[in-house]
Amino acid sequence: RMEPTPKQEAWGSFLGEISRRVKRQQFDTWFRKVQPRRLDGDGVELEAPNEFVRQWLQKYYLDTIREAAQKVFDGAEPRITIHAPEGAAAPAPPPPEPAAPEAAPRTVLEVGGPLNGSYTFENFVVGPSNRLAHAAALAVAEAPAQAYNPLFLHGAVGLGKTHLLQAICHHMLRRAPRTDIRYLTCEAFVNNFIAAVRSGSIDAFRRRYRSVGVLLVDDIHFLASKEGTQQEFFHTFSALFESNRQIILSSDTSPAEIPTLEARLVSRFKWGLVALISKPDLETRAAILKKKAEMRGARIPDEVLMFLARHIDT
């Protein structure tokens, strides 16, 4: 058995210090694929897997990296540098195939109307309670089926799950207007499945959902206690995943907490990234109120916004 080199020992100690300072999900998301270029008391140079991760580490984890390095190197203050592979940019989907000018978009939104124009990434207020979910949603919107597949967002009602799902749609459609997206609620999926069974059009139903490029289903916990629809969704999920299509789901609870959900669905929902959106803290609540006021052209004094944020936490 070969003894670890000093660099390997230092790297192991460094990762151990990082893992003590962040949650496991954060470590797995942002640090698991990072590699060391240089690691000593004078300089810590890390290589992120892509430009998106590099920017995220630089923006949100620089202090954590610095603290871990100081601990490993006995109080030294090495210069921290984070690289991406040479010539690498944030992962991006391939450009859409050229279409004739008169061709209609293939996007289908089964939400009873158009997307909410204000549900964009630009209008989403990011705070400690939703930072991971926001970053993951943006990564998926930039690189469908390359970053996290499936992406499963969960949290209580009113915390921004639908906002993020629609923000993904808006972002994808701006980048490639002919992206083949199907966005709907789980209730709509269940109702459409029941109607297909009754009318004998199950083959058309399956073609409808198993051939899309991106499938977004809001409130997937609606599958609880619906055995037939769960079986159908399992096969839909498998067909999309095996053909490298992006799947994005939202729920009020984590996969394991959805009542009577089949174990095989629970397992598949956890294959990618499961991101919790928790209740926002005081500062984030105030920022959300300020953003909503600005969007409506309302001038509300900061002390009034803070008063509301202190007294209303739902």
Side-chain angles (χ1 to χ4, degrees):
R1 180 181 176 182
M2 297 180 62
E3 293 294 324
T5 66
K7 182 178 179 179
Q8 289 171 333
E9 289 184 346
W11 181 238
S13 299
F14 177 81
L15 289 180
E17 289 298 328
I18 292 289
S19 66
R20 281 189 277 274
R21 288 169 165 77
V22 302
K23 295 179 180 179
R24 180 174 179 178
Q25 190 177 54
Q26 293 171 320
F27 181 88
D28 289 342
T29 301
W30 303 112
F31 290 95
R32 183 68 69 184
K33 295 183 180 180
V34 172
Q35 296 295 324
R37 285 191 181 183
R38 175 184 178 183
L39 203 63
D40 56 47
D42 295 322
V44 170
E45 296 188 27
L46 307 178
E47 182 169 302
N50 56 60
E51 178 61 18
F52 178 79
V53 174
R54 187 199 71 78
Q55 292 179 9
W56 193 261
L57 292 175
Q58 187 80 31
K59 186 172 182 179
Y60 294 108
Y61 289 102
L62 202 57
D63 288 342
T64 301
I65 293 169
R66 184 175 291 108
E67 291 168 3
Q70 290 172 348
K71 181 73 172 179
V72 170
F73 298 113
D74 299 323
E77 297 187 3
R79 182 184 178 193
I80 310 296
T81 309
I82 306 174
H83 305 272
E86 189 171 344
E97 295 181 3
E102 67 274 9
R106 297 170 63 198
T107 304
V108 178
L109 305 169
E110 296 187 25
V111 291
L115 293 171
N116 187 322
S118 65
Y119 282 0
T120 64
F121 285 119
E122 293 78 10
N123 290 332
F124 190 86
V125 177
V126 182
S129 61
N130 59 28
R131 182 166 288 128
L132 176 62
H134 172 269
L138 183 57
V140 163
E142 288 280 340
Q146 297 180 43
Y148 310 108
N149 198 21
L151 174 61
F152 191 103
L153 306 179
H154 70 101
V157 174
L159 297 183
K161 301 185 299 296
T162 297
H163 187 144
L164 284 178
L165 261 62
Q166 294 203 20
I168 291 171
C169 293
H170 281 299
H171 194 86
M172 287 180 173
L173 293 174
R174 281 201 301 266
R175 290 175 60 90
R178 285 180 54 80
T179 301
D180 189 6
I181 299 173
R182 193 170 291 273
Y183 167 51
L184 74 163
T185 65
C186 185
E187 182 177 10
F189 183 89
V190 171
N191 292 338
N192 292 343
F193 173 65
I194 294 172
V197 171
R198 289 175 175 171
S199 64
S201 57
I202 193 66
D203 288 341
F205 173 89
R206 288 169 178 165
R207 288 194 299 271
R208 179 179 180 180
Y209 291 106
R210 297 184 190 183
S211 62
V212 297
V214 181
L215 177 66
L216 304 96
V217 182
D218 214 346
D219 295 332
I220 196 67
H221 55 269
F222 197 77
L223 282 179
S225 304
K226 298 174 177 63
E227 295 180 5
T229 314
Q230 286 188 32
Q231 182 176 355
E232 183 63 29
F233 191 80
F234 170 82
H235 293 297
T236 298
F237 182 104
S238 298
L240 292 173
F241 187 86
E242 289 168 6
S243 57
N244 201 35
R245 311 294 178 86
Q246 179 67 57
I247 305 161
I248 304 155
L249 310 171
S250 80
S251 171
D252 286 353
T253 64
S254 68
E257 294 174 323
I258 299 176
T260 69
L261 188 66
E262 290 184 7
R264 60 181 182 172
L265 276 176
V266 173
S267 174
R268 280 157 177 76
F269 289 174
K270 294 161 66 176
W271 276 356
L273 178 67
V274 177
L276 170 66
I277 304 177
S278 54
K279 291 174 64 173
D281 59 16
L282 174 64
E283 290 76 13
T284 306
R285 295 199 299 273
I288 291 170
L289 289 169
K290 190 174 184 68
K291 169 67 73 173
K292 287 183 177 294
E294 290 172 352
M295 290 170 61
R296 289 160 176 76
R299 295 182 179 181
I300 303 178
D302 288 345
E303 57 268 27
V304 175
L305 295 175
M306 190 57 71
F307 176 87
L308 292 171
R310 285 197 189 99
H311 289 81
I312 304 171
D313 64 356
T314 63

